[in-house]
PDB file of all heavy atoms in Angstrom:
ATOM      1  N   ALA B1188      17.819 -47.827 -57.166  1.00 97.00           N
ATOM      2  CA  ALA B1188      17.617 -49.283 -57.151  1.00 97.00           C
ATOM      3  C   ALA B1188      18.167 -50.077 -58.311  1.00 97.00           C
ATOM      4  O   ALA B1188      18.543 -51.233 -58.208  1.00 97.00           O
ATOM      5  CB  ALA B1188      16.111 -49.562 -56.934  1.00 97.00           C
ATOM      6  N   ASP B1191      21.832 -50.498 -57.352  1.00 96.00           N
ATOM      7  CA  ASP B1191      22.221 -50.860 -55.986  1.00 96.00           C
ATOM      8  C   ASP B1191      21.248 -51.870 -55.371  1.00 96.00           C
ATOM      9  O   ASP B1191      20.085 -51.516 -55.093  1.00 96.00           O
ATOM     10  CB  ASP B1191      22.242 -49.494 -55.143  1.00 96.00           C
ATOM     11  CG  ASP B1191      22.632 -49.697 -53.708  1.00 96.00           C
ATOM     12  OD1 ASP B1191      23.684 -50.478 -53.483  1.00 96.00           O
ATOM     13  OD2 ASP B1191      21.894 -49.301 -52.815  1.00 96.00           O
ATOM     14  N   PRO B1192      21.742 -53.059 -55.084  1.00 97.00           N
ATOM     15  CA  PRO B1192      20.876 -54.149 -54.588  1.00 97.00           C
ATOM     16  C   PRO B1192      20.150 -53.739 -53.283  1.00 97.00           C
ATOM     17  O   PRO B1192      19.011 -54.076 -53.010  1.00 97.00           O
ATOM     18  CB  PRO B1192      21.805 -55.306 -54.420  1.00 97.00           C
ATOM     19  CG  PRO B1192      23.024 -55.018 -55.232  1.00 97.00           C
ATOM     20  CD  PRO B1192      23.101 -53.494 -55.309  1.00 97.00           C
ATOM     21  N   GLN B1193      20.953 -53.067 -52.416  1.00 97.00           N
ATOM     22  CA  GLN B1193      20.373 -52.619 -51.134  1.00 97.00           C
ATOM     23  C   GLN B1193      19.123 -51.827 -51.335  1.00 97.00           C
ATOM     24  O   GLN B1193      18.086 -51.968 -50.684  1.00 97.00           O
ATOM     25  CB  GLN B1193      21.380 -51.958 -50.314  1.00 97.00           C
ATOM     26  CG  GLN B1193      20.891 -51.514 -48.823  1.00 97.00           C
ATOM     27  CD  GLN B1193      21.939 -50.794 -48.127  1.00 97.00           C
ATOM     28  OE1 GLN B1193      22.640 -49.883 -48.612  1.00 97.00           O
ATOM     29  NE2 GLN B1193      22.008 -51.100 -46.853  1.00 97.00           N
ATOM     30  N   THR B1194      19.170 -50.766 -52.204  1.00 97.00           N
ATOM     31  CA  THR B1194      18.080 -49.924 -52.453  1.00 97.00           C
ATOM     32  C   THR B1194      16.959 -50.636 -53.233  1.00 97.00           C
ATOM     33  O   THR B1194      15.789 -50.357 -52.970  1.00 97.00           O
ATOM     34  CB  THR B1194      18.591 -48.695 -53.322  1.00 97.00           C
ATOM     35  OG1 THR B1194      19.704 -48.120 -52.654  1.00 97.00           O
ATOM     36  CG2 THR B1194      17.474 -47.637 -53.423  1.00 97.00           C
ATOM     37  N   ALA B1195      17.340 -51.661 -54.117  1.00 97.00           N
ATOM     38  CA  ALA B1195      16.348 -52.409 -54.782  1.00 97.00           C
ATOM     39  C   ALA B1195      15.478 -53.153 -53.831  1.00 97.00           C
ATOM     40  O   ALA B1195      14.249 -53.243 -53.907  1.00 97.00           O
ATOM     41  CB  ALA B1195      17.056 -53.368 -55.797  1.00 97.00           C
ATOM     42  N   ALA B1196      16.161 -53.745 -52.760  1.00 95.00           N
ATOM     43  CA  ALA B1196      15.362 -54.525 -51.757  1.00 95.00           C
ATOM     44  C   ALA B1196      14.393 -53.492 -51.148  1.00 95.00           C
ATOM     45  O   ALA B1196      13.171 -53.910 -50.814  1.00 95.00           O
ATOM     46  CB  ALA B1196      16.332 -55.141 -50.778  1.00 95.00           C
ATOM     47  N   LEU B1197      14.806 -52.366 -50.728  1.00 94.00           N
ATOM     48  CA  LEU B1197      14.027 -51.349 -50.082  1.00 94.00           C
ATOM     49  C   LEU B1197      12.827 -50.931 -50.877  1.00 94.00           C
ATOM     50  O   LEU B1197      11.616 -50.826 -50.440  1.00 94.00           O
ATOM     51  CB  LEU B1197      14.782 -50.035 -49.823  1.00 94.00           C
ATOM     52  CG  LEU B1197      15.625 -49.998 -48.620  1.00 94.00           C
ATOM     53  CD1 LEU B1197      16.334 -48.646 -48.528  1.00 94.00           C
ATOM     54  CD2 LEU B1197      14.784 -50.247 -47.313  1.00 94.00           C
ATOM     55  N   VAL B1198      13.040 -50.723 -52.241  1.00 94.00           N
ATOM     56  CA  VAL B1198      12.031 -50.260 -53.098  1.00 94.00           C
ATOM     57  C   VAL B1198      10.889 -51.390 -53.241  1.00 94.00           C
ATOM     58  O   VAL B1198       9.748 -51.051 -53.275  1.00 94.00           O
ATOM     59  CB  VAL B1198      12.590 -49.908 -54.473  1.00 94.00           C
ATOM     60  CG1 VAL B1198      11.478 -49.722 -55.566  1.00 94.00           C
ATOM     61  CG2 VAL B1198      13.383 -48.623 -54.393  1.00 94.00           C
ATOM     62  N   GLN B1199      11.351 -52.638 -53.255  1.00 93.00           N
ATOM     63  CA  GLN B1199      10.381 -53.738 -53.304  1.00 93.00           C
ATOM     64  C   GLN B1199       9.554 -53.703 -52.084  1.00 93.00           C
ATOM     65  O   GLN B1199       8.326 -53.921 -52.054  1.00 93.00           O
ATOM     66  CB  GLN B1199      11.161 -55.077 -53.302  1.00 93.00           C
ATOM     67  CG  GLN B1199      11.634 -55.441 -54.687  1.00 93.00           C
ATOM     68  CD  GLN B1199      11.894 -56.985 -54.822  1.00 93.00           C
ATOM     69  OE1 GLN B1199      12.442 -57.507 -53.882  1.00 93.00           O
ATOM     70  NE2 GLN B1199      11.509 -57.566 -55.902  1.00 93.00           N
ATOM     71  N   GLY B1200      10.216 -53.459 -50.861  1.00 87.00           N
ATOM     72  CA  GLY B1200       9.448 -53.396 -49.590  1.00 87.00           C
ATOM     73  C   GLY B1200       8.512 -52.276 -49.636  1.00 87.00           C
ATOM     74  O   GLY B1200       7.295 -52.392 -49.175  1.00 87.00           O
ATOM     75  N   LEU B1201       8.837 -51.108 -50.218  1.00 86.00           N
ATOM     76  CA  LEU B1201       7.946 -49.907 -50.213  1.00 86.00           C
ATOM     77  C   LEU B1201       6.716 -50.204 -51.035  1.00 86.00           C
ATOM     78  O   LEU B1201       5.630 -49.843 -50.713  1.00 86.00           O
ATOM     79  CB  LEU B1201       8.694 -48.729 -50.807  1.00 86.00           C
ATOM     80  CG  LEU B1201       9.679 -48.005 -49.883  1.00 86.00           C
ATOM     81  CD1 LEU B1201      10.289 -46.776 -50.631  1.00 86.00           C
ATOM     82  CD2 LEU B1201       9.004 -47.483 -48.601  1.00 86.00           C
ATOM     83  N   ALA B1202       6.926 -50.973 -52.118  1.00 85.00           N
ATOM     84  CA  ALA B1202       5.835 -51.270 -53.088  1.00 85.00           C
ATOM     85  C   ALA B1202       4.834 -52.190 -52.335  1.00 85.00           C
ATOM     86  O   ALA B1202       3.634 -52.024 -52.417  1.00 85.00           O
ATOM     87  CB  ALA B1202       6.350 -51.923 -54.329  1.00 85.00           C
TER      88      ALA B1202
END
Side-chain angles (χ1 to χ4, degrees):
Chain B
D1191 181 46
Q1193 183 181 40
T1194 309
L1197 276 180
V1198 168
Q1199 279 200 322
L1201 284 181

